Amino acid sequence: MGSVTSPISDRRATVALFSRLRTVQGQSDPFPLYAELRSRGDVSPAPWGGFLVTGFSACDQVLRSNTWLEPDTSWRERQGERTRWSAPSSREISRTLPALNPPEHTRVRRAAGTFDRGTIEQIGSRVSRIVDRLLDSLMDQLHTGEADFAALVGEELPIATIGDWLGLPSADWSRLRELTHDQVFTQELLPSASQLARSDVAMAELRAYFLDLVAQRRTRLGDDPVSRWIRTWDELEPDQDKADEAVYFLALFVLLAALETTSTLLSTMALLLVEDPDRWSLLAEQPDLVPAFVEESLRYDPPTHVISRVAAQDCVLEGVEVRADEMVHLMVGAAHRDPARFSAPDRFDLSRGPGHLAFSGGIHYCLGAPLARLEAQTLLTRMITHLPRLTLVR
Protein backbone atom coordinates (compact mmCIF):
# COMPACT_ATOMS: atom_id res chain seq x y z
CA MET A 1 0.00 0.00 0.00
CA GLY A 2 1.36 3.44 -0.92
CA SER A 3 1.67 6.35 1.50
CA VAL A 4 0.56 9.94 1.12
CA THR A 5 2.50 12.86 2.58
CA SER A 6 0.25 15.04 4.72
CA PRO A 7 0.20 18.84 4.24
CA ILE A 8 1.48 19.26 7.81
CA SER A 9 4.49 16.99 7.34
CA ASP A 10 5.19 18.57 3.95
CA ARG A 11 5.09 22.01 5.55
CA ARG A 12 7.45 20.90 8.30
CA ALA A 13 9.85 19.52 5.72
CA THR A 14 9.84 22.82 3.84
CA VAL A 15 10.40 24.79 7.06
CA ALA A 16 13.34 22.52 7.88
CA LEU A 17 14.75 23.00 4.39
CA PHE A 18 14.61 26.79 4.67
CA SER A 19 16.25 26.59 8.09
CA ARG A 20 19.13 24.78 6.41
CA LEU A 21 19.20 27.38 3.63
CA ARG A 22 19.81 30.09 6.22
CA THR A 23 22.87 28.40 7.72
CA VAL A 24 26.39 29.32 6.65
CA GLN A 25 26.67 26.06 4.71
CA GLY A 26 23.30 26.60 3.07
CA GLN A 27 24.22 30.12 2.04
CA SER A 28 27.56 29.03 0.60
CA ASP A 29 26.01 26.24 -1.49
CA PRO A 30 22.20 26.34 -1.64
CA PHE A 31 21.89 24.32 -4.83
CA PRO A 32 21.54 20.82 -3.30
CA LEU A 33 18.73 22.23 -1.15
CA TYR A 34 17.16 23.82 -4.21
CA ALA A 35 17.20 20.39 -5.85
CA GLU A 36 15.30 18.98 -2.87
CA LEU A 37 12.76 21.77 -3.16
CA ARG A 38 12.44 21.31 -6.93
CA SER A 39 11.79 17.57 -6.45
CA ARG A 40 8.46 18.49 -4.79
CA GLY A 41 7.19 19.96 -8.03
CA ASP A 42 7.62 23.13 -10.05
CA VAL A 43 5.09 24.91 -7.78
CA SER A 44 4.75 24.05 -4.09
CA PRO A 45 3.14 25.75 -1.07
CA ALA A 46 5.34 28.10 0.94
CA PRO A 47 5.12 27.50 4.72
CA TRP A 48 4.20 31.13 5.39
CA GLY A 49 1.58 31.31 2.63
CA GLY A 50 1.71 31.66 -1.12
CA PHE A 51 3.85 29.44 -3.30
CA LEU A 52 7.43 28.59 -4.21
CA VAL A 53 8.15 28.27 -7.93
CA THR A 54 11.27 26.31 -8.85
CA GLY A 55 10.69 25.26 -12.47
CA PHE A 56 12.32 27.40 -15.14
CA SER A 57 9.32 27.38 -17.47
CA ALA A 58 6.92 28.43 -14.70
CA CYS A 59 9.24 31.24 -13.52
CA ASP A 60 9.66 32.49 -17.07
CA GLN A 61 5.89 32.40 -17.61
CA VAL A 62 5.22 34.48 -14.49
CA LEU A 63 7.84 37.09 -15.37
CA ARG A 64 6.53 37.58 -18.89
CA SER A 65 2.80 37.56 -18.20
CA ASN A 66 0.61 40.53 -17.24
CA THR A 67 -1.37 38.11 -15.07
CA TRP A 68 1.29 38.67 -12.43
CA LEU A 69 2.10 41.94 -10.68
CA GLU A 70 4.71 43.48 -8.43
CA PRO A 71 3.79 43.60 -4.72
CA ASP A 72 3.27 47.37 -4.96
CA THR A 73 2.30 49.96 -2.35
CA SER A 74 -1.42 49.16 -2.42
CA TRP A 75 -0.77 45.41 -2.11
CA ARG A 76 1.54 45.97 0.87
CA GLU A 77 -1.04 48.16 2.56
CA ARG A 78 -3.61 45.38 2.20
CA GLN A 79 -1.38 43.02 4.18
CA GLY A 80 -2.09 45.10 7.29
CA GLU A 81 0.03 46.61 10.03
CA ARG A 82 2.71 44.76 11.97
CA THR A 83 3.82 42.73 9.00
CA ARG A 84 7.13 42.87 7.15
CA TRP A 85 5.28 44.73 4.38
CA SER A 86 4.31 47.57 6.71
CA ALA A 87 7.92 48.42 7.64
CA PRO A 88 8.88 51.97 6.56
CA SER A 89 11.68 50.64 4.36
CA SER A 90 9.27 48.24 2.65
CA ARG A 91 6.78 51.02 1.96
CA GLU A 92 9.57 53.25 0.66
CA ILE A 93 11.05 50.65 -1.70
CA SER A 94 7.55 49.97 -3.05
CA ARG A 95 7.57 53.43 -4.62
CA THR A 96 10.70 52.82 -6.70
CA LEU A 97 10.49 51.78 -10.36
CA PRO A 98 10.95 47.98 -9.96
CA ALA A 99 7.97 47.77 -7.56
CA LEU A 100 5.51 49.73 -9.71
CA ASN A 101 2.78 48.29 -11.91
CA PRO A 102 1.26 49.79 -15.06
CA PRO A 103 0.23 52.45 -15.80
CA GLU A 104 2.53 54.14 -13.24
CA HIS A 105 5.41 51.83 -14.13
CA THR A 106 5.12 52.82 -17.79
CA ARG A 107 5.14 56.53 -16.95
CA VAL A 108 8.15 56.34 -14.63
CA ARG A 109 10.17 54.04 -16.88
CA ARG A 110 9.77 56.46 -19.78
CA ALA A 111 10.91 59.31 -17.54
CA ALA A 112 13.94 57.31 -16.41
CA GLY A 113 15.28 56.80 -19.92
CA THR A 114 17.50 53.84 -20.68
CA PHE A 115 21.13 52.84 -20.79
CA ASP A 116 21.11 53.08 -24.57
CA ARG A 117 24.13 52.51 -26.79
CA GLY A 118 25.27 56.12 -26.59
CA THR A 119 25.07 56.18 -22.80
CA ILE A 120 26.87 52.85 -22.48
CA GLU A 121 29.65 54.04 -24.81
CA GLN A 122 30.00 57.20 -22.73
CA ILE A 123 30.16 55.24 -19.48
CA GLY A 124 32.40 52.59 -21.02
CA SER A 125 35.51 54.76 -21.12
CA ARG A 126 35.00 55.65 -17.47
CA VAL A 127 34.56 52.00 -16.52
CA SER A 128 37.82 51.10 -18.27
CA ARG A 129 39.71 53.74 -16.30
CA ILE A 130 38.10 52.68 -13.02
CA VAL A 131 38.87 49.00 -13.64
CA ASP A 132 42.53 49.78 -14.40
CA ARG A 133 42.82 51.79 -11.19
CA LEU A 134 41.20 49.11 -9.05
CA LEU A 135 43.28 46.29 -10.54
CA ASP A 136 46.45 48.34 -9.94
CA SER A 137 45.38 48.61 -6.30
CA LEU A 138 44.73 44.88 -6.20
CA MET A 139 48.20 44.18 -7.61
CA ASP A 140 49.78 46.43 -5.00
CA GLN A 141 48.07 44.37 -2.29
CA LEU A 142 49.06 41.11 -3.96
CA HIS A 143 52.71 42.04 -3.63
CA THR A 144 52.27 41.26 0.08
CA GLY A 145 50.87 37.84 -0.80
CA GLU A 146 47.09 38.08 -0.47
CA ALA A 147 44.29 40.51 -1.34
CA ASP A 148 40.52 40.65 -0.86
CA PHE A 149 39.09 40.86 -4.36
CA ALA A 150 35.52 41.50 -3.20
CA ALA A 151 36.52 44.47 -1.04
CA LEU A 152 39.07 45.99 -3.43
CA VAL A 153 37.28 45.43 -6.74
CA GLY A 154 33.87 43.77 -6.51
CA GLU A 155 32.48 46.34 -4.08
CA GLU A 156 34.32 49.34 -5.51
CA LEU A 157 33.64 49.11 -9.24
CA PRO A 158 29.82 49.49 -9.09
CA ILE A 159 29.80 52.45 -6.68
CA ALA A 160 32.60 54.20 -8.57
CA THR A 161 30.78 53.66 -11.88
CA ILE A 162 27.32 54.79 -10.79
CA GLY A 163 28.64 57.43 -8.40
CA ASP A 164 30.66 59.01 -11.17
CA TRP A 165 27.73 58.85 -13.61
CA LEU A 166 25.31 60.46 -11.16
CA GLY A 167 27.91 63.04 -10.15
CA LEU A 168 27.98 62.01 -6.48
CA PRO A 169 30.96 63.22 -4.44
CA SER A 170 33.50 60.41 -4.10
CA ALA A 171 33.72 61.16 -0.37
CA ASP A 172 30.11 59.90 -0.08
CA TRP A 173 30.60 56.61 -1.91
CA SER A 174 31.70 54.52 1.07
CA ARG A 175 28.72 55.57 3.19
CA LEU A 176 26.28 55.03 0.34
CA ARG A 177 27.64 51.53 -0.15
CA GLU A 178 27.14 50.79 3.55
CA LEU A 179 23.57 52.10 3.46
CA THR A 180 22.84 49.98 0.40
CA HIS A 181 24.03 46.87 2.23
CA ASP A 182 21.70 47.63 5.14
CA GLN A 183 18.59 48.53 3.15
CA VAL A 184 18.67 45.31 1.14
CA PHE A 185 17.22 43.31 4.05
CA THR A 186 13.77 44.73 3.34
CA GLN A 187 13.88 43.05 -0.08
CA GLU A 188 14.87 39.60 1.16
CA LEU A 189 12.58 36.59 1.37
CA LEU A 190 12.44 36.22 5.16
CA PRO A 191 13.95 39.26 6.92
CA SER A 192 14.10 39.28 10.70
CA ALA A 193 12.77 42.15 12.83
CA SER A 194 16.30 43.37 13.55
CA GLN A 195 17.21 43.29 9.86
CA LEU A 196 14.09 45.29 8.96
CA ALA A 197 15.03 47.83 11.63
CA ARG A 198 18.45 48.26 10.00
CA SER A 199 16.75 48.69 6.63
CA ASP A 200 14.42 51.33 8.06
CA VAL A 201 17.33 53.39 9.41
CA ALA A 202 19.33 53.07 6.18
CA MET A 203 16.36 54.00 4.01
CA ALA A 204 15.65 57.12 6.05
CA GLU A 205 19.25 58.28 5.57
CA LEU A 206 19.16 57.50 1.86
CA ARG A 207 15.94 59.48 1.48
CA ALA A 208 17.45 62.51 3.22
CA TYR A 209 20.64 62.25 1.14
CA PHE A 210 18.95 62.09 -2.26
CA LEU A 211 16.28 64.70 -1.53
CA ASP A 212 19.11 67.05 -0.55
CA LEU A 213 20.97 66.10 -3.73
CA VAL A 214 17.91 66.91 -5.85
CA ALA A 215 17.51 70.28 -4.10
CA GLN A 216 21.16 71.11 -4.77
CA ARG A 217 20.98 70.12 -8.45
CA ARG A 218 17.83 72.18 -8.92
CA THR A 219 19.76 75.33 -8.05
CA ARG A 220 22.29 74.63 -10.83
CA LEU A 221 21.02 72.27 -13.49
CA GLY A 222 23.70 70.60 -15.56
CA ASP A 223 23.98 67.74 -18.04
CA ASP A 224 24.04 64.99 -15.43
CA PRO A 225 21.26 62.36 -15.11
CA VAL A 226 19.73 63.92 -11.99
CA SER A 227 19.46 67.31 -13.71
CA ARG A 228 17.89 65.66 -16.76
CA TRP A 229 15.35 63.88 -14.57
CA ILE A 230 14.47 67.19 -12.90
CA ARG A 231 13.75 68.75 -16.29
CA THR A 232 11.70 65.73 -17.34
CA TRP A 233 9.59 65.64 -14.19
CA ASP A 234 9.04 69.39 -14.22
CA GLU A 235 7.23 68.83 -17.52
CA LEU A 236 5.25 65.86 -16.16
CA GLU A 237 4.38 67.13 -12.67
CA PRO A 238 3.28 70.71 -11.89
CA ASP A 239 3.81 70.24 -8.15
CA GLN A 240 7.54 70.81 -7.60
CA ASP A 241 7.66 68.83 -4.34
CA LYS A 242 6.11 65.83 -6.08
CA ALA A 243 8.47 66.26 -9.02
CA ASP A 244 11.48 66.35 -6.71
CA GLU A 245 10.28 63.24 -4.90
CA ALA A 246 9.89 61.44 -8.21
CA VAL A 247 13.50 62.33 -9.09
CA TYR A 248 14.59 61.12 -5.66
CA PHE A 249 12.97 57.74 -6.24
CA LEU A 250 14.71 57.43 -9.61
CA ALA A 251 18.12 58.28 -8.15
CA LEU A 252 17.53 55.89 -5.25
CA PHE A 253 16.48 53.11 -7.62
CA VAL A 254 19.55 53.58 -9.82
CA LEU A 255 21.90 53.44 -6.84
CA LEU A 256 20.27 50.37 -5.29
CA ALA A 257 19.99 48.52 -8.59
CA ALA A 258 23.57 49.29 -9.60
CA LEU A 259 25.35 48.28 -6.40
CA GLU A 260 24.26 45.15 -4.59
CA THR A 261 23.52 42.80 -7.49
CA THR A 262 26.43 43.97 -9.64
CA SER A 263 28.90 43.61 -6.76
CA THR A 264 27.67 40.06 -6.24
CA LEU A 265 27.99 39.27 -9.95
CA LEU A 266 31.56 40.59 -10.12
CA SER A 267 32.76 38.63 -7.10
CA THR A 268 30.96 35.44 -8.17
CA MET A 269 32.40 35.75 -11.67
CA ALA A 270 35.93 36.20 -10.31
CA LEU A 271 35.53 33.20 -8.02
CA LEU A 272 34.36 31.02 -10.90
CA LEU A 273 37.38 32.16 -12.89
CA VAL A 274 40.06 31.51 -10.29
CA GLU A 275 38.71 28.31 -8.73
CA ASP A 276 39.35 26.40 -11.97
CA PRO A 277 42.72 27.13 -13.69
CA ASP A 278 41.39 25.65 -16.94
CA ARG A 279 38.80 28.41 -17.15
CA TRP A 280 41.49 31.08 -16.87
CA SER A 281 43.57 29.38 -19.56
CA LEU A 282 40.58 29.06 -21.85
CA LEU A 283 39.66 32.75 -21.58
CA ALA A 284 43.27 33.84 -21.97
CA GLU A 285 43.43 31.82 -25.20
CA GLN A 286 39.95 32.82 -26.39
CA PRO A 287 39.03 36.25 -24.98
CA ASP A 288 36.01 36.33 -27.30
CA LEU A 289 34.42 33.94 -24.76
CA VAL A 290 34.27 36.70 -22.13
CA PRO A 291 30.59 37.57 -22.83
CA ALA A 292 29.65 33.89 -22.64
CA PHE A 293 31.51 33.57 -19.33
CA VAL A 294 29.52 36.50 -17.90
CA GLU A 295 26.20 35.02 -19.07
CA GLU A 296 27.00 31.57 -17.71
CA SER A 297 28.01 33.15 -14.39
CA LEU A 298 24.60 34.83 -14.28
CA ARG A 299 22.91 31.46 -14.87
CA TYR A 300 25.14 29.33 -12.69
CA ASP A 301 24.87 31.50 -9.57
CA PRO A 302 22.66 34.58 -10.18
CA PRO A 303 23.04 37.70 -8.02
CA THR A 304 19.35 37.48 -7.04
CA HIS A 305 17.99 34.06 -6.18
CA VAL A 306 14.37 35.04 -5.50
CA ILE A 307 11.89 37.31 -7.32
CA SER A 308 8.38 37.76 -5.90
CA ARG A 309 5.13 38.46 -7.74
CA VAL A 310 1.43 38.48 -6.83
CA ALA A 311 -1.50 37.14 -8.84
CA ALA A 312 -3.61 39.81 -10.50
CA GLN A 313 -6.56 37.39 -10.61
CA ASP A 314 -7.43 33.81 -9.81
CA CYS A 315 -5.37 31.59 -12.08
CA VAL A 316 -3.72 28.21 -12.48
CA LEU A 317 0.08 27.88 -12.56
CA GLU A 318 1.46 24.48 -13.57
CA GLY A 319 -1.77 22.86 -12.39
CA VAL A 320 -1.82 24.69 -9.06
CA GLU A 321 -4.65 27.09 -8.25
CA VAL A 322 -3.44 30.53 -7.15
CA ARG A 323 -5.91 33.09 -5.83
CA ALA A 324 -5.86 36.80 -6.65
CA ASP A 325 -3.43 38.70 -4.41
CA GLU A 326 -1.55 35.54 -3.42
CA MET A 327 2.23 35.78 -3.69
CA VAL A 328 4.55 33.48 -5.57
CA HIS A 329 8.28 33.40 -4.91
CA LEU A 330 10.21 32.64 -8.07
CA MET A 331 13.25 30.66 -6.91
CA VAL A 332 15.47 31.78 -9.78
CA GLY A 333 18.53 30.12 -8.30
CA ALA A 334 16.68 26.80 -8.40
CA ALA A 335 15.15 27.43 -11.83
CA HIS A 336 18.61 28.02 -13.29
CA ARG A 337 19.51 24.44 -12.34
CA ASP A 338 16.29 22.94 -13.73
CA PRO A 339 17.29 19.84 -15.79
CA ALA A 340 14.12 20.27 -17.85
CA ARG A 341 15.64 23.49 -19.22
CA PHE A 342 19.41 22.98 -18.99
CA SER A 343 21.40 19.85 -19.76
CA ALA A 344 23.86 19.02 -16.96
CA PRO A 345 22.67 22.12 -15.09
CA ASP A 346 25.27 21.83 -12.31
CA ARG A 347 28.11 22.10 -14.82
CA PHE A 348 29.60 25.51 -15.67
CA ASP A 349 29.45 25.39 -19.46
CA LEU A 350 30.39 28.24 -21.79
CA SER A 351 28.79 26.56 -24.79
CA ARG A 352 25.26 27.25 -23.53
CA GLY A 353 23.18 29.79 -25.37
CA PRO A 354 21.58 32.72 -23.55
CA GLY A 355 18.38 32.14 -21.63
CA HIS A 356 18.72 32.88 -17.91
CA LEU A 357 16.38 34.91 -15.69
CA ALA A 358 19.02 36.82 -13.74
CA PHE A 359 17.75 40.16 -15.06
CA SER A 360 14.07 39.22 -14.55
CA GLY A 361 11.82 39.45 -17.63
CA GLY A 362 8.87 41.11 -19.29
CA ILE A 363 8.18 44.77 -18.53
CA HIS A 364 10.38 44.54 -15.44
CA TYR A 365 13.47 43.38 -17.31
CA CYS A 366 16.40 45.04 -15.55
CA LEU A 367 16.98 48.57 -16.81
CA GLY A 368 20.64 48.38 -15.80
CA ALA A 369 21.42 45.04 -17.47
CA PRO A 370 23.61 46.67 -20.17
CA LEU A 371 25.60 48.48 -17.47
CA ALA A 372 26.10 45.34 -15.38
CA ARG A 373 27.27 43.45 -18.47
CA LEU A 374 29.62 46.31 -19.38
CA GLU A 375 31.26 46.30 -15.95
CA ALA A 376 31.55 42.51 -15.83
CA GLN A 377 32.94 42.12 -19.34
CA THR A 378 35.40 44.99 -18.94
CA LEU A 379 36.67 43.64 -15.63
CA LEU A 380 36.99 40.07 -16.89
CA THR A 381 38.84 41.14 -20.04
CA ARG A 382 41.30 43.22 -18.02
CA MET A 383 41.85 40.44 -15.50
CA ILE A 384 42.85 37.81 -18.07
CA THR A 385 45.03 40.21 -20.07
CA HIS A 386 46.66 42.36 -17.37
CA LEU A 387 46.97 40.13 -14.30
CA PRO A 388 49.10 37.08 -13.67
CA ARG A 389 46.89 34.09 -12.99
CA LEU A 390 45.32 34.48 -9.55
CA THR A 391 44.89 31.64 -7.09
CA LEU A 392 42.25 31.24 -4.40
CA VAL A 393 43.21 31.42 -0.72
CA ARG A 394 41.10 28.86 1.12
Side-chain angles (χ1 to χ4, degrees):
M1 180 180 294
S3 61
V4 178
T5 303
S6 73
I8 293 177
S9 62
D10 189 57
R11 179 183 180 277
R12 286 174 177 164
T14 305
V15 169
L17 187 147
F18 270 89
S19 295
R20 290 157 62 197
L21 273 172
R22 301 182 81 170
T23 65
V24 174
Q25 182 178 356
Q27 291 288 301
S28 63
D29 185 13
F31 298 104
L33 299 176
Y34 287 162
E36 284 188 41
L37 189 60
R38 199 171 50 246
S39 70
R40 301 175 190 181
D42 286 356
V43 181
S44 59
W48 52 87
F51 298 89
L52 305 168
V53 185
T54 56
F56 185 94
S57 178
C59 287
D60 189 45
Q61 175 186 334
V62 170
L63 290 174
R64 295 179 185 277
S65 171
N66 59 11
T67 305
W68 302 90
L69 303 174
E70 284 283 347
D72 59 14
T73 300
S74 62
W75 183 89
R76 296 177 195 223
E77 288 174 350
R78 291 197 296 276
Q79 308 317 300
E81 296 297 325
R82 308 185 75 171
T83 68
R84 59 148 312 166
W85 306 107
S86 66
S89 53
S90 176
R91 297 286 177 87
E92 193 79 355
I93 204 72
S94 73
R95 298 177 65 190
T96 60
L97 178 60
L100 301 178
N101 290 306
E104 187 63 12
H105 175 271
T106 307
R107 180 174 183 247
V108 174
R109 182 143 188 164
R110 286 174 179 164
T114 59
F115 288 104
D116 56 22
R117 180 174 298 180
T119 302
I120 288 296
E121 289 177 354
Q122 178 187 19
I123 297 176
S125 59
R126 300 176 182 174
V127 170
S128 296
R129 292 194 298 271
I130 295 168
V131 167
D132 287 343
R133 173 172 58 82
L134 294 177
L135 291 183
D136 284 345
S137 177
L138 180 72
M139 285 298 296
D140 288 343
Q141 288 280 336
L142 286 172
H143 287 150
T144 66
E146 296 179 4
D148 187 336
F149 179 92
L152 292 172
V153 182
E155 295 278 352
E156 291 294 331
L157 177 54
I159 185 59
T161 299
I162 207 67
D164 183 56
W165 186 63
L166 290 174
L168 307 180
S170 58
D172 297 343
W173 294 353
S174 177
R175 181 57 180 162
L176 290 171
R177 189 175 60 243
E178 293 171 1
L179 293 172
T180 300
H181 285 324
D182 283 348
Q183 70 75 38
V184 79
F185 291 118
T186 199
Q187 302 178 60
E188 291 192 349
L189 185 58
L190 297 171
S192 66
S194 61
Q195 288 173 331
L196 282 175
R198 287 174 62 184
S199 288
D200 291 346
V201 171
M203 197 67 81
E205 188 172 335
L206 285 166
R207 178 182 177 89
Y209 178 89
F210 280 108
L211 283 175
D212 182 62
L213 175 74
V214 173
Q216 291 178 27
R217 295 289 167 87
R218 184 172 280 285
T219 63
R220 185 178 297 177
L221 294 176
D223 192 35
D224 59 279
V226 177
S227 295
R228 292 196 293 272
W229 291 332
I230 290 173
R231 294 188 185 97
T232 297
W233 277 101
D234 280 351
E235 294 179 1
L236 296 172
E237 176 55 65
D239 185 319
Q240 183 175 306
D241 289 339
K242 290 182 179 180
D244 285 353
E245 186 168 65
V247 176
Y248 146 66
F249 278 118
L250 275 178
L252 174 67
F253 149 67
V254 167
L255 179 80
L256 301 185
L259 263 59
E260 198 74 18
T261 52
T262 305
S263 294
T264 303
L265 166 61
L266 298 179
S267 294
T268 298
M269 180 186 72
L271 177 61
L272 290 168
L273 177 66
V274 301
E275 70 180 3
D276 185 344
D278 289 342
R279 292 174 189 161
W280 190 296
S281 298
L282 179 62
L283 284 191
E285 295 169 3
Q286 302 182 56
D288 58 315
L289 289 176
V290 162
F293 195 102
V294 172
E295 298 307 307
E296 179 65 348
S297 297
L298 286 162
R299 182 205 68 87
Y300 190 79
D301 190 355
T304 299
H305 280 218
V306 184
I307 300 173
S308 297
R309 294 287 188 267
V310 295
Q313 60 197 42
D314 293 351
C315 60
V316 177
L317 180 64
E318 297 292 323
V320 176
E321 293 184 2
V322 183
R323 299 298 182 188
D325 253 14
E326 277 193 301
M327 176 171 277
V328 296
H329 303 287
L330 310 179
M331 309 297 290
V332 175
H336 279 185
R337 302 292 183 98
D338 184 353
R341 174 63 176 81
F342 301 100
S343 61
D346 294 324
R347 185 178 70 227
F348 189 85
D349 184 356
L350 296 186
S351 67
R352 299 184 198 277
H356 58 75
L357 305 174
F359 292 126
S360 189
I363 66 169
H364 290 285
Y365 185 80
C366 179
L367 193 67
L371 181 59
R373 286 186 166 110
L374 169 68
E375 292 180 50
Q377 292 178 15
T378 303
L379 175 60
L380 192 54
T381 299
R382 289 293 203 279
M383 286 180 68
I384 61 174
T385 56
H386 289 71
L387 291 182
R389 178 177 294 166
L390 302 180
T391 55
L392 187 63
V393 177
R394 299 186 183 273

